[in-house]
Amino acid sequence: METELAIVGSGPAGLAAAIEAAKTGVKVTIIDENPRPGGQLFKQIHKFFGSEKHKAGIRGIDIGHELLEQCEKLNVQIFLRTEVWAVFDNGKALGLKHANNTTEKLNTRKLILATGAIENPLAFPGWTLPGVLGAGATQTLMNLHRVLPGQRVLMVGTGNVGLIVSYQLLQAGADVVAAIDILPQIGGWGVHASKIRRLGIPILTSHTIKEAFGNNEVKGAVIARVGQDNKVIPETERTLEIDTICIAVGLSPMAELAQSAGCQTIHIAELGGWTPMHNKRMETTIKGIYVAGDVCGVEEASTAMEEGKISGIAAAESLGYLQRGKAKELMKERQESLNALRAGPFATQSKLGKEKLIERFHKC
Amino acid sequence: MLNMLRSSGVLSEQELMELPGVPSMELVEKGPVAVIECAEMIPCNPCEACCPTGAIKIGDDINNLPIIDAVKCTGCGLCIAACPGLAIFVVNGAHTKSEALVSIPYEFLPLPNIGDQVEALDRQGKKVCMAKIVQIRSSKKFDKTAIVSFTIPKERCMEVRHIRLSGGMQRKQ
Ligand SMILES: Cc1cc2nc3c(=O)[nH]c(=O)nc-3n(C[C@H](O)[C@H](O)[C@H](O)COP(=O)(O)OP(=O)(O)OC[C@H]3O[C@@H](n4cnc5c(N)ncnc54)[C@H](O)[C@@H]3O)c2cc1C
């Protein structure tokens, strides 16, 4: 099989990249391992923040529908239930594994990796018991598969993911007994925290989970207060009767494909860990391989879409479908939009991280 | 700054009163007005964009906090459903002599019925009084966020921010 631009991952980054490139006439093929495209978008039933320009106030799921519709109109080819297991020849070919276990090689001229991120685990005694699961996984189970993983939940981590999933657990009919965080402050936005507080969910900062217990499944957990050294303060332990523990302690970029392709990576804590280095055009250290979205720094769907667009424009230009000047102009617009998204105090970390990343790219 | 909000998820009274989106009690007692409990610089502006009278100002830097102009605000409530943070309420302190009318965003099923007596909860989810449901609005434009309006004793109007139905899908304490 042949294509001009292969995109791995059909989340907001991959879809936005496909649309930008296909608009100029590029033949685009997207590959995703899931049964339906959209990445994280289809489990996000809440309204998104952002400016009117960035589809704010629209629920993630509806943003997904919109992007898919555009891809369809532009004849973007999408392979679903298909895993990309290797990148060959400096990104000029991909190894695909289809749902029926057949494999295939896809030749391509350019490649965009938009593989997203993976949830971080947290180890504590009992962490392998059934009933301990990622908050994002819980969201997928609930909102995509309509399966409630339990009735009484402890949420570990109060970043936006932990807060939003707590709210959605209540919407789905479960009870969240508490949301805890080892830090003295709530990690996510105040509005998300206020939303679950007025529903009666306690938020316990400076608290950690000591253990989960139960024979074949989670029956309860012991939580305790921590001091400034993050160590448990003796005799502050409390036992909670619960059947589910959701872990929401951050995400890490899924950079394995980029790494195996030979793209240079760098560890940047602000971006969630090992990240492929890229320049302002989203091109990695291997010419013709681009990255966009959470794979090159865990941020937001809004930033993922902007990065996706930039990578799509860059790929279209290098394939000869866009003139230099026009591409520059389009990229400038997208870059300004990205800067606006990263301007607030909550985005300082990712902004710093991105600056470091691009600076390092130019040094190597 | 915002220590209470950041450590507990609940705005303290002082933190609340300092917000440019929160009108003074005096203004609330004059008639329906949007109370925008948005305290952090988040890049977001649907409230400004949806306001038909230009009563909400954010400006070019979308990280700015929304400012409410209580004179321009008609209390129509469009912003309640537009706010992705569910942080906007409309409070009418002049509903009757003793009662205030409060409108909140509501995203749970089942919806209450008009006339229902439900528990009125404060920002910490504690029951502070009973509320009587007087209006339920939902439309395509609100995109599944219903706007529920209820009456409560006037002195509770800057405290009550949620309701609990008996048998509804919410935390029982
Ligand atoms: C609970 C939660 C709430 C959020 N709320 C918001 C919000 O309100 N506003 C906002 O802007 N953002 C929000 N986000 C963040 C947002 O969802 C992500 O930043 C965004 O989805 C990243 O987009 P992406 O395209 O980079 O990756 P993803 O959406 O993760 O898509 C990557 C896709 O690639 C596929 N893939 C990966 N590797 C392979 C492979 N080898 N072969 C085939 N397919 C592969 C994956 O299965 C996935 O479908 C939230 C995230 C979570 C978890």
Side-chain angles (χ1 to χ4, degrees):
Chain A
M1 257 192 326
E2 287 297 321
T3 192
E4 286 184 311
L5 172 61
I7 301 177
V8 187
S10 68
L15 293 177
I19 293 165
E20 272 329 282
K23 260 193 225 163
T24 69
V26 177
K27 180 176 178 212
V28 183
T29 306
I30 303 183
I31 308 102
D32 198 292
E33 62 202 348
N34 291 292
R36 62 189 291 197
Q40 309 306 311
L41 286 174
F42 283 98
K43 65 184 191 201
Q44 287 168 8
I45 56 169
H46 56 285
K47 291 178 180 169
F48 275 22
F49 288 79
S51 73
E52 282 297 300
K53 271 185 267 166
H54 292 107
K55 307 193 189 298
I58 303 181
R59 296 180 194 276
I61 172 170
D62 297 322
I63 299 178
H65 286 305
E66 256 183 64
L67 293 174
L68 280 182
E69 218 169 89
Q70 285 189 57
C71 282
E72 220 163 90
K73 271 192 205 138
L74 293 163
N75 287 323
V76 171
Q77 185 179 32
I78 306 185
F79 284 114
L80 296 170
R81 295 179 202 267
T82 304
E83 277 168 49
V84 176
W85 55 272
V87 178
F88 305 111
D89 308 334
N90 284 326
K92 296 291 180 283
L94 297 177
L96 310 188
K97 177 179 156 282
H98 295 294
N100 60 4
N101 275 332
T102 56
T103 57
E104 189 176 10
K105 193 170 155 207
L106 173 66
N107 294 315
T108 184
R109 292 178 61 201
K110 303 285 166 192
L111 172 63
I112 298 176
L113 297 172
T115 48
I118 187 163
E119 291 192 280
N120 295 334
L122 183 69
F124 48 86
W127 72 302
T128 56
L129 279 173
V132 181
L133 65 169
T138 303
Q139 208 188 18
T140 305
L141 271 176
M142 273 194 306
N143 300 349
L144 278 182
H145 304 293
R146 312 247 166 178
V147 175
L148 200 53
Q151 282 302 326
R152 286 175 63 78
V153 184
L154 169 67
M155 181 63 64
V156 181
T158 63
N160 280 335
V161 171
L163 298 174
I164 291 173
V165 175
S166 294
Y167 181 77
Q168 293 179 354
L169 276 161
L170 256 71
Q171 285 182 307
D175 189 8
V176 178
V177 173
I180 64 170
D181 205 301
I182 197 160
L183 296 176
Q185 295 203 323
I186 294 167
W189 291 342
V191 283
H192 288 314
S194 300
K195 224 164 76 176
I196 68 167
R197 281 306 310 273
R198 58 179 183 259
L199 295 171
I201 302 177
I203 298 181
L204 307 173
T205 48
S206 299
H207 272 74
T208 191
I209 179 165
K210 265 190 85 175
E211 63 167 312
F213 58 85
N215 281 335
N216 299 312
E217 56 190 348
V218 172
K219 290 273 189 243
V222 179
I223 61 168
R225 185 177 273 285
V226 298
Q228 275 172 356
D229 55 359
N230 279 350
K231 291 213 177 96
V232 167
I233 303 173
E235 284 167 49
T236 61
E237 287 91 349
R238 248 200 292 169
T239 302
L240 302 176
E241 240 179 77
I242 44 162
D243 56 22
T244 305
I245 300 172
C246 286
I247 307 299
V249 296
L251 297 132
S252 300
M254 226 158 33
E256 290 88 344
L257 272 185
Q259 274 167 325
S260 71
C263 302
Q264 281 193 46
T265 53
I266 172 178
H267 191 278
I268 297 186
E270 292 93 331
L271 297 178
W274 287 98
T275 313
M277 282 193 251
H278 64 77
N279 59 16
K280 284 211 155 157
R281 301 164 54 85
M282 306 310 297
E283 196 162 18
T284 64
T285 51
I286 299 182
K287 240 182 135 34
I289 303 186
Y290 305 80
V291 281
D294 280 358
V295 64
C296 54
V298 175
E299 289 184 273
E300 301 261 292
S302 44
T303 45
M305 282 188 275
E306 292 299 350
E307 287 193 344
K309 285 179 191 169
I310 295 176
S311 67
I313 295 164
E317 185 203 340
S318 65
L319 285 166
Y321 285 88
L322 266 177
Q323 305 243 297
R324 189 90 220 241
K326 181 73 190 159
K328 254 193 154 158
E329 190 187 309
L330 289 172
M331 269 192 241
K332 192 165 160 257
E333 259 172 52
R334 305 306 5 140
Q335 190 60 49
E336 276 165 12
S337 189
L338 256 181
N339 294 346
L341 286 171
R342 292 184 182 137
F346 275 94
T348 330
Q349 290 292 318
S350 44
K351 184 166 176 247
L352 273 175
K354 277 288 170 183
E355 278 165 8
K356 261 192 219 171
L357 188 78
I358 290 171
E359 194 189 303
R360 281 295 297 270
F361 177 94
H362 291 291
K363 278 195 185 142
C364 74
Chain B
M1 270 295 285
L2 296 175
N3 283 337
M4 273 298 286
L5 177 68
R6 298 249 162 83
S7 63
S8 73
V10 177
L11 285 157
S12 69
E13 207 177 312
Q14 198 196 339
E15 286 167 357
L16 195 71
M17 286 339 261
E18 281 171 3
L19 299 179
V22 175
S24 67
M25 194 59 204
E26 223 181 337
L27 288 165
V28 168
E29 276 173 358
K30 281 198 179 138
V33 64
V35 176
I36 310 176
E37 302 189 4
C38 178
E40 293 170 328
M41 299 188 64
I42 294 170
C44 190
N45 69 356
C47 56
E48 178 184 46
C50 81
C51 180
T53 63
I56 303 175
K57 190 103 230 118
I58 286 179
D60 285 340
D61 182 352
I62 63 167
N63 283 287
N64 289 336
L65 293 184
I67 304 169
I68 183 75
D69 181 336
V71 178
K72 282 192 193 160
C73 177
T74 62
C76 72
L78 287 182
C79 52
I80 297 177
C83 173
L86 305 189
I88 308 185
F89 311 86
V90 169
V91 179
N92 178 0
H95 185 61
T96 67
K97 239 195 170 109
S98 60
E99 283 180 323
L101 184 75
V102 176
S103 303
I104 63 163
Y106 196 78
E107 295 186 330
F108 291 85
L109 290 173
L111 287 173
N113 296 307
I114 290 173
D116 280 358
Q117 291 281 342
V118 299
E119 291 173 87
L121 311 180
D122 67 7
R123 292 186 184 81
Q124 302 175 49
K126 282 209 198 87
K127 179 190 165 185
V128 290
C129 58
M130 293 303 281
K132 189 178 162 202
I133 308 292
V134 296
Q135 195 186 29
I136 296 155
R137 283 182 281 169
S138 53
S139 80
K140 206 162 176 208
K141 202 165 167 196
F142 298 167
D143 188 14
K144 300 187 186 79
T145 306
I147 301 177
V148 173
S149 307
F150 50 82
T151 51
I152 47 166
K154 192 180 278 186
E155 64 275 14
R156 299 290 192 187
C157 74
M158 288 306 275
E159 257 175 84
V160 171
R161 289 298 175 261
H162 202 65
I163 51 168
R164 179 165 47 215
L165 282 54
S166 50
M169 289 197 292
Q170 280 173 60
R171 286 216 81 206
K172 295 163 198 72
Q173 298 223 298

